């Protein structure tokens, strides 16, 4: 049975619709999964125009449960925003509301078992906030809607290297106080579980330090000694292959050398700088802690090139392929 | 036209890898980029190809037959991997001599091999937090800026060896302004870039995203950058740090200014682990050093990689030319 992947086009003001059109035209995609497109007609039309491709969209009502089609892509039509309300390269309340409406529907369909996974093209957080989203990011919005109370973290992945973070979208001055043994333990457990679900039997995980030179023996900060080392020691005594804390300017080299599969970072930019440097066009974000796979390209709406027809599909393709892999392993797990 | 004065290379910690990478650097550079090594020749491996000199002016001739060595007698032996406290005074004397020679024009630049701070503190009461602060004192300047450079990236951390929890409270508009001024002036003077394009990283994720994840950008970073722009600085930012270091983004600036150590070190180590160079901006002379430590764990085995020292010597040579 092929994975059933729900796809939403993301913020209509950005490059999302173009990316989805390019994704559907990419080699092997139509064959790899049963794809359900969820979104407005004019948004998919515009994406195809920009990408210079044409797809046959076959209307279905996915709420009925069975929606498989042949000879085109199944399409559950929504009417979330008028054509005129789409403003290129601007974060608007209307575009945010459109995203939330399609996202809600996709989540409902996945929760009800009508699709196995959700892939979304980039959202714009400012637009989501304008549209009334009160959560710090879409991950917490989704979890709230689905009633998930487990530990949540964005996971980022590139060419087989995974990162999770102990803190995410918070001010740098608040990071050190937010680091605790409990949160480190949760972040390690989440990346371990997610890596297993991506097909690795025993993921090798390294934990990054918080301070420069891993604190240099307490000279530049004591969190390594007081918090991170005890957490890692305790985890390493259990079932997981975990070590650290490693200085964050060299831990990525261990990953590049293939010595480890995952890195638990302490804060947002610690992981994102290296990952985006190593493969800006290929990185994927996984919404960790959700009851089904949810993936998206790691880049944003790219307003600077929206509407120009030159968006690179690489990361979106990687997000789609990862969602397919995760569905397979999710079934086995 | 006379050739530029040779580069003074200090020995650094004799128990570390400095000695062996210096010899490897001479083997590679030969007469192309003359330097002389300041240290105790007894610390070099037996049978090393060296040419003793008594004055830097002899370097150009001496370099043809061996690594030019301006000798200083140290108290102790070099024991790989084990710092000898009695050598601390010699390590410091080598740095002081190098600075004297570059100040008097007998050396064109100073390149320093790694020191071991604890050994210097234990052996000679060395009171400076590091090499850079010591050189600033010898150079008679209050504030210097550390820059890391490789062929693909130049990056300056605005704060360095402090706990991450102290970064936000340590950074101020005054300190960042001083960093930006020193950086711009040095790029012009030492790198020959008439109007350097400087990219400034945000402190917070997504550069604060309009105050949603930290307010420093709104409260003082953006106002500072605006003021400096009105003065003629070519500044971009504050930029989200995670999207400013990939290859395309790097073509848009000559130097990046990061807010804290790892924001600068993660990108440069990821791009070029072995070849990064540490440059001190704002000194009255050119100073570079390899961007690694004493590597006690591999010292004395002959396996140390000289890439970073080679890059440091070459960069010093370029900077001397740009200043000329």
């Amino acid at each position: 049975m092929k994975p059933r992947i729900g796809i939403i086009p993301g913020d209509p003001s950005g490059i999302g619709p173009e990316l989805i059109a390019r994704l559907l035209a990419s080699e092997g995609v139509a064959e790899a999964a049963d794809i359900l497109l969820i979104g407005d007609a004019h948004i998919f039309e515009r994406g195809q125009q920009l990408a210079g491709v044409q797809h046959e969209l076959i209307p279905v009502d996915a709420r009925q449960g069975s929606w498989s089609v042949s000879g085109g892509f199944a399409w559950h039509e929504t009417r979330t925003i008028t054509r005129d309300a789409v403003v290129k390269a601007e974060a608007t309340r209307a575009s945010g509301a459109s995203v939330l409406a399609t996202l809600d529907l996709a989540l409902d369909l996945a929760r009800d078992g009508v699709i196995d996974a959700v892939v979304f093209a980039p959202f714009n957080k400012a637009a989501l906030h304008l549209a009334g989203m009160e959560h710090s990011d879409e991950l917490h919005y989704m979890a709230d809607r689905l009633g998930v109370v487990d530990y949540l973290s964005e996971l980022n992945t590139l060419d087989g290297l995974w990162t999770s973070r102990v803190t995410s979208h918070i001010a740098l001055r608040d990071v050190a106080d937010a680091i605790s043994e409990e949160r480190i333990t949760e972040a390690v457990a989440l990346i371990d579980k997610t890596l297993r679900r991506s097909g690795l039997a025993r993921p090798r995980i390294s934990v990054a330090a918080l301070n420069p030179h891993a604190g240099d023996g307490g000279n530049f900060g004591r969190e390594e000694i007081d918090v991170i080392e005890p957490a890692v020691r305790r985890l390493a005594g259990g079932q997981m292959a975990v070590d650290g804390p490693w200085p964050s300017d060299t831990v990525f080299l261990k990953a590049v050398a293939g010595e480890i599969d995952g890195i638990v970072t302490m804060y947002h930019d610690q992981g994102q700088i290296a990952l985006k440097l190593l493969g800006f066009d290929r990185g994927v974000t996984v919404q960790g802690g959700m009851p089904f796979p949810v993936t998206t390209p790691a880049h944003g709406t790219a307003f600077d090139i929206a509407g120009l027809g030159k968006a690179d599909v690489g990361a979106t393709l990687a997000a789609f392929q990862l969602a397919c892999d995760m569905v397979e392993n999710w079934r086995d797990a | 036209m006379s050739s530029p004065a040779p580069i003074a290379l200090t020995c650094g910690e004799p128990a570390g890898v400095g000695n062996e990478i210096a010899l490897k650097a001479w083997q590679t550079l030969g007469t192309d980029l003359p330097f002389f090594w300041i240290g105790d020749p007894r610390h070099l491996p037996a049978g090393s190809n060296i040419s003793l000199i008594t004055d830097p002016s002899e370097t150009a001739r001496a370099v043809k037959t061996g690594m030019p060595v301006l000798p200083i007698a140290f108290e102790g032996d070099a024991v790989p991997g084990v710092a000898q406290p009695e050598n601390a005074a010699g390590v410091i004397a080598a740095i002081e001599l190098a600075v004297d020679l570059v100040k008097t024009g007998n050396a064109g630049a100073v390149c320093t091999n790694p020191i071991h701070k604890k050994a210097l503190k234990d052996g000679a009461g060395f009171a400076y937090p590091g090499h850079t602060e010591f050189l600033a004192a010898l150079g008679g300047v209050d504030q210097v800026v550390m820059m890391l450079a490789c062929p693909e990236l130049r990056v300056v951390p605005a704060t360095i060896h402090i706990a991450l929890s102290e970064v936000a409270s340590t950074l101020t508009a005054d300190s960042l302004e001083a960093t930006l001024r020193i950086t711009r002036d040095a790029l012009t003077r030492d790198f020959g870039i008439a109007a350097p394009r400087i990219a400034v990283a945000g402190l917070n994720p997504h550069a604060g995203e309009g105050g949603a994840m930290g307010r420093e950008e709104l409260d003082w970073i953006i106002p500072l950058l605006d003021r400096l722009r009105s003065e003629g600085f070519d500044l971009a930012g504050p930029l989200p740090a995670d999207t400013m270091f990939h290859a395309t983004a790097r073509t848009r600036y000559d130097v990046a200014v990061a807010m804290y150590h790892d924001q600068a070190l993660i990108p440069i180590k990821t791009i070029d682990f072995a070849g990064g160079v540490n440059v001190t901006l704002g000194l009255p002379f050119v100073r570079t050093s390899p961007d690694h430590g004493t590597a006690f764990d591999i010292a004395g085995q002959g396996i140390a990689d000289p890439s970073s020292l080679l890059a440091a010597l070459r960069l010093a040579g370029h900077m001397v030319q740009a200043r000329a």
Side-chain angles (χ1 to χ4, degrees), chain B residues 14-67:
Chain B
V17 294
N19 299 345
E20 50 192 271
I21 60 177
L23 286 162
K24 287 179 184 171
W26 169 76
Q27 284 166 3
T28 301
L29 296 173
T31 56
D32 294 345
L33 182 62
F35 68 85
F36 61 94
W37 182 84
I38 304 176
D40 190 330
R42 294 178 305 139
H43 290 169
L44 295 168
S48 296
N49 204 353
I50 62 170
S51 310
L52 290 176
I53 60 173
T54 56
D55 187 276
S57 62
E58 300 160 25
T59 302
R61 184 181 44 76
V63 74
K64 293 172 187 163
T65 53
M67 180 176 80

Side-chain angles (χ1 to χ4, degrees), chain A residues 125 169-173 176 210-213 220-221 248-250 253 267-270 272-273 276-278 280, chain B residues 161-165 168 203-206 209 213-214 216 241-242 246 260-262 265-267 269-271 273:
Chain A
K125 278 189 192 43
H169 293 125
I170 63 171
L172 190 84
R173 67 165 64 239
L210 176 70
N211 295 299
H213 303 210
F220 329 130
S248 61
D249 55 350
T250 52
L253 300 166
Y267 55 92
H268 180 278
D269 283 350
Q270 193 178 42
Q272 291 298 82
I273 289 173
K276 293 196 175 176
L277 201 163
L278 290 169
F280 185 65
Chain B
H161 290 135
I162 59 172
L164 192 84
S165 61
L203 174 68
N204 296 299
H206 304 197
E209 200 166 293
M213 309 166 198
E216 287 85 355
D242 58 344
H246 63 85
Y260 51 91
H261 181 276
D262 285 349
L265 271 289
I266 291 170
K269 294 262 187 187
T270 305
I271 291 169
F273 178 66

Side-chain angles (χ1 to χ4, degrees), chain A residues 70-94:
Chain A
S70 56
F73 295 103
W75 168 44
H76 185 102
E77 184 176 8
T78 56
R79 293 195 171 90
T80 61
I81 186 170
T82 63
R83 190 185 299 261
D84 295 343
V86 176
V87 186
K88 188 182 75 177
E90 239 181 72
T92 66
R93 195 201 61 76

